[in-house]
Amino acid sequence: MNKLCQLTIHEAHELLKRREISSVELTKATLERIAEVEDKIHACVTVTGDMALKQAEEADGCIRNGNITPLAGVPVLIKDVICTKGIRTTCSSKMLENFVPPYDATVIGKLKTQKAVILGKGNMDEFAMGSSTEHSAFFPTHNPWNLGYVPGGSSGGPAAAVAGDEAIYAIGSDTGGSIRQPAGFCGVVGLKPTYGRVSRFGLVAFASSLDQIGPIVKDATDCALVMNAIAGYDSMDSTSVDYPVPNYVSYLKGDLKGLRIGIPREYFVEGMQSGVKSALEIAIKKLKELGAEIDWEVSLPSTKYALAVYYIVAPSEASANLARYDGVKYGFSEQDAGSVIEATEKTRQFGFGTEVKRRIMLGTYALSAGYYDAYYLKAQKVRTLIKQEYEQAFEKCDALVTPTSPTVAFKLGEKLEDPMQMYLSDVCTLPINIAGIPAISVPAGFVDGLPIGMQIMGKPFNEETLLHIAFAYEQATEWHKSKPEI
Amino acid sequence: MKLSRQQVEHVAWLARLGLSEAEIEKFAVELSNILENFEILNQVDTADVPPATHAVPLQSVFREDQSSPSYPQSDVLANAPKKEESCFKVKPVLE
């Protein structure tokens, strides 16, 4: 293995700036790593090696001219739910298997402006619906720490790729935990920004009031660098918020004096693996040693309703968003049918996988006449209560700390036939999307050789505090430096 | 809340989603199980609680009506399963 693929963004940047390595060398090392381990991990749907090397040459040209940005020449893998002009964007679905977008998502445009090198597209649960990447229509991704285990989901491909050094970093999307849960399962860092912080233009819609794009990276510094590049208002996304973007890197400090961190007790109850609980207790002790004041008296009593709220709201919005797949304008199309309606039904029957159908059914039912008030409206009212409880908690705390998920990664196939068990693996992450606030997952130990994620939640548009805490914790621990043997 | 076979078929019709026999039976059981888990929300008193519409309180967003170049027709039609001249081709909708 060429060690260059193990670099972080900031380490690679220093070497590129000093001209000790070129972007072409770095990109080749990463592509070689993909060739070496991809038949074990299966993180990538599409690898665009030739295009990547061309982008690397261009980046080297800019760097030679003294024109270097923090992401210039550094290879990135993009979750296959984000539109890339000229590169097929499949959502790991048969429905979009051959779809080539005519435009770039706003985040892709921003990365290209920085002369990032795009390696290809990462595997995921179909249309981002799932928690294990086993719902990919193409193949499941394997956890680099133990190939018999899932990498989490839905951004399992991007998270496994970063953990396995197949990419220096990745861009994912998070609707109920799809960045943080796989980051936790794979021992890397993943941030779901505040709703509206990063443009969703060009992100294939799943649940529009919950979806958000964010970084999957090797450490907090890289996370800050990627946020500097992708955050900000975009006139193409009317839900993006025109709020100043700070220089996130300037908040990375080693001590936590003056910060008050709350531990919501509802996140430390039944179903939690004992090894995860004890690792979190040790991590919280470390935060205290670093100067933070720990508040054990925080309560978010409506947390127990979040799973039900989420699995009403998200499928309802999905059922509306996925109505567009009718086999007419793009995507899979089954025309061997009598009428236009029958053609639509067959297109959707053969184009969608089981989990996507399950959620379309659930959402359509929850929105249908006679049930709207009982399900969707009720869920949106409870959503208000959940949001209010977070607002109250943040009146006295700067951040809240919980596990990213109640257990470490589970075995491939273990939860595939039991949708409720699969949904429960997101129980710690999905309240964040319901409330619209930011949260980051950072590596915080191991149980039986599988990584544990610590989740840090923050106030709206206060990602800098999460990065500050993540950075200080990293300075005092070694977890983020551990590498799997593949 | 147990879903009947007829209800599953009705919801599939609303969603224009073709389902196999096996899927109809599978979903009747699974969706009933999932809906049962939603009954927990009946414990919450929401009489005076307004529904959340969005994660962030945004007012209606307006912008100036400015024209800008659109995508070339060939790009937009490039992914079409069936096309004819400058149109998407669909089955007849009128008999």
Side-chain angles (χ1 to χ4, degrees):
Chain A
M1 176 178 60
N2 184 329
K3 295 263 183 202
L4 290 182
C5 66
Q6 297 190 321
L7 295 172
T8 61
I9 298 171
H10 56 95
E11 289 165 350
H13 175 76
E14 285 306 314
L15 295 174
L16 287 164
K17 198 166 74 180
R18 294 202 300 265
R19 308 270 295 276
E20 287 178 30
I21 61 167
S22 70
S23 174
V24 168
E25 284 172 294
L26 180 63
T27 303
K28 276 186 178 160
T30 319
L31 290 169
E32 278 164 22
R33 178 65 173 173
I34 291 174
E36 181 190 343
V37 299
E38 184 57 9
D39 65 339
K40 293 178 183 156
I41 298 178
H42 304 285
C44 306
V45 172
T46 305
V47 178
T48 49
D50 292 344
M51 214 183 278
L53 286 170
K54 203 171 272 176
Q55 289 172 339
E57 278 169 24
E58 273 178 43
D60 281 332
C62 289
I63 294 167
R64 269 195 302 275
N65 293 330
N67 195 356
I68 184 166
T69 61
L71 303 183
V74 182
V76 55
L77 186 72
I78 309 295
K79 186 180 182 183
D80 212 10
V81 68
I82 298 171
C83 284
T84 40
K85 185 176 182 175
I87 305 173
R88 72 184 183 132
T89 298
T90 69
C91 289
S92 289
S93 177
K94 189 178 172 189
M95 189 63 90
L96 292 177
E97 193 169 1
N98 299 307
F99 173 66
V100 180
Y103 60 87
D104 274 328
T106 296
V107 289
I108 301 300
K110 289 185 174 214
L111 295 179
K112 283 185 175 172
T113 305
Q114 286 226 9
K115 293 286 169 201
V117 173
I118 293 171
L119 291 166
K121 308 298 290 285
N123 196 24
M124 53 189 277
D125 288 294
E126 183 177 3
F127 283 102
M129 297 177 189
S131 314
S132 68
T133 315
E134 291 167 292
H135 292 307
S136 166
F138 307 138
F139 43 78
T141 298
H142 297 243
N143 192 315
W145 289 93
N146 186 328
L147 298 172
Y149 285 71
V150 303
S154 65
S155 312
V162 174
D165 292 314
E166 292 183 78
I168 305 296
Y169 70 107
I171 301 292
S173 70
D174 189 316
T175 304
S178 282
I179 287 174
R180 291 159 288 152
Q181 186 254 26
F185 278 11
C186 291
V188 295
V189 173
L191 171 70
K192 186 212 82 89
T194 311
Y195 184 82
R197 179 75 294 187
V198 176
S199 170
R200 292 185 297 115
F201 177 71
L203 171 68
V204 178
F206 161 13
S208 302
S209 79
L210 305 164
D211 296 341
Q212 190 63 191
I213 291 174
I216 297 174
V217 289
K218 293 176 185 171
D219 65 16
T221 306
D222 280 8
C223 200
L225 290 168
V226 177
M227 282 302 289
N228 277 353
I230 66 173
Y233 173 71
D234 177 18
S235 62
M236 297 299 280
D237 172 5
S238 61
T239 62
S240 76
V241 179
D242 196 0
Y243 189 85
V245 180
N247 175 6
Y248 291 106
V249 178
S250 69
Y251 290 87
L252 304 177
K253 298 189 189 92
D255 80 73
L256 298 175
K257 284 192 195 74
L259 283 182
R260 190 177 170 89
I261 297 176
I263 314 298
R265 69 171 73 102
E266 288 79 6
Y267 282 81
F268 289 81
V269 282
E270 53 177 315
M272 194 173 170
Q273 212 170 352
S274 61
V276 173
K277 185 163 187 265
S278 47
L280 256 289
E281 283 164 356
I282 294 167
I284 292 163
K285 216 167 128 191
K286 185 62 79 179
L287 297 176
K288 194 175 176 196
E289 284 167 26
L290 289 164
E293 191 186 334
I294 305 295
D295 183 348
W296 291 92
E297 297 302 310
V298 176
S299 175
L300 300 164
S302 295
T303 299
K304 61 175 177 284
Y305 306 122
L307 188 80
V309 169
Y310 180 84
Y311 278 100
I312 292 171
V313 172
S316 294
E317 295 183 8
S319 73
N321 273 325
L322 272 62
R324 73 192 61 175
Y325 300 103
D326 57 5
V328 173
K329 297 182 291 301
Y330 46 77
F332 176 79
S333 185
E334 176 56 66
Q335 294 300 319
D336 183 14
S339 66
V340 71
I341 289 179
E342 202 188 317
T344 308
E345 287 178 329
K346 284 193 170 178
T347 293
R348 293 161 67 76
Q349 175 170 5
F350 302 125
F352 289 137
T354 301
E355 182 60 22
V356 173
K357 288 181 193 170
R358 190 181 282 126
R359 297 208 195 181
I360 290 175
M361 290 291 291
L362 199 52
T364 305
Y365 177 79
L367 293 176
S368 65
Y371 298 103
Y372 175 84
D373 285 6
Y375 291 108
Y376 191 74
L377 192 65
K378 181 76 181 183
Q380 289 288 54
K381 287 179 175 178
V382 180
R383 185 176 186 181
T384 299
L385 295 175
I386 293 170
K387 278 168 62 104
Q388 285 171 350
E389 285 176 10
Y390 276 103
E391 282 161 19
Q392 284 158 13
F394 286 122
E395 277 170 19
K396 55 175 192 160
C397 296
D398 299 293
L400 305 174
V401 164
T402 73
T404 303
S405 60
T407 68
V408 292
F410 44 90
K411 283 192 179 122
L412 283 153
E414 189 180 322
K415 300 188 179 183
L416 203 48
E417 295 306 322
D418 188 343
M420 270 320 292
Q421 279 306 310
M422 188 71 94
Y423 296 171
L424 276 166
S425 71
D426 291 332
V427 72
C428 298
T429 47
L430 49 83
I432 297 308
N433 302 71
I434 290 170
I437 60 176
I440 193 169
S441 177
V442 296
F446 292 87
V447 174
D448 301 330
L450 291 165
I452 297 165
M454 171 166 70
Q455 178 173 239
I456 312 165
M457 313 165 171
K459 298 173 190 176
F461 298 99
N462 193 225
E463 285 80 1
E464 53 270 33
T465 298
L466 306 186
L467 292 166
H468 172 191
I469 297 169
F471 179 82
Y473 179 71
E474 258 173 30
Q475 298 305 300
T477 55
E478 297 284 320
W479 305 120
H480 64 292
K481 291 183 183 159
S482 307
K483 295 273 183 195
E485 276 177 37
I486 302 161
Chain B
M1 182 77 214
K2 281 263 178 275
L3 279 188
S4 68
R5 185 193 168 84
Q6 285 76 11
Q7 280 176 301
V8 173
E9 285 175 326
H10 175 66
V11 174
W13 161 252
L14 291 174
R16 301 292 185 269
L17 184 62
L19 295 179
S20 67
E21 275 301 308
E23 282 174 324
I24 292 171
E25 280 177 27
K26 182 183 162 88
F27 284 153
V29 176
E30 283 177 358
L31 296 176
S32 301
N33 176 25
I34 295 167
L35 291 171
E36 247 167 58
N37 280 274
F38 293 167
E39 280 168 17
I40 189 174
L41 295 184
N42 297 332
Q43 299 171 7
V44 196
D45 179 8
T46 52
D48 299 318
V49 182
T53 47
H54 250 288
V56 175
L58 280 177
Q59 302 298 319
S60 296
V61 178
F62 294 103
R63 63 167 173 81
E64 292 302 311
D65 184 17
Q66 291 161 331
S67 64
S68 59
S70 189
Y71 298 107
Q73 203 175 56
S74 58
D75 285 12
V76 175
L77 285 167
N79 283 292
K82 284 194 172 174
K83 58 193 160 188
E84 199 169 298
E85 295 175 8
S86 59
C87 297
F88 296 107
K89 192 174 175 185
V90 294
K91 284 186 178 296
V93 288
L94 297 172
E95 293 302 324

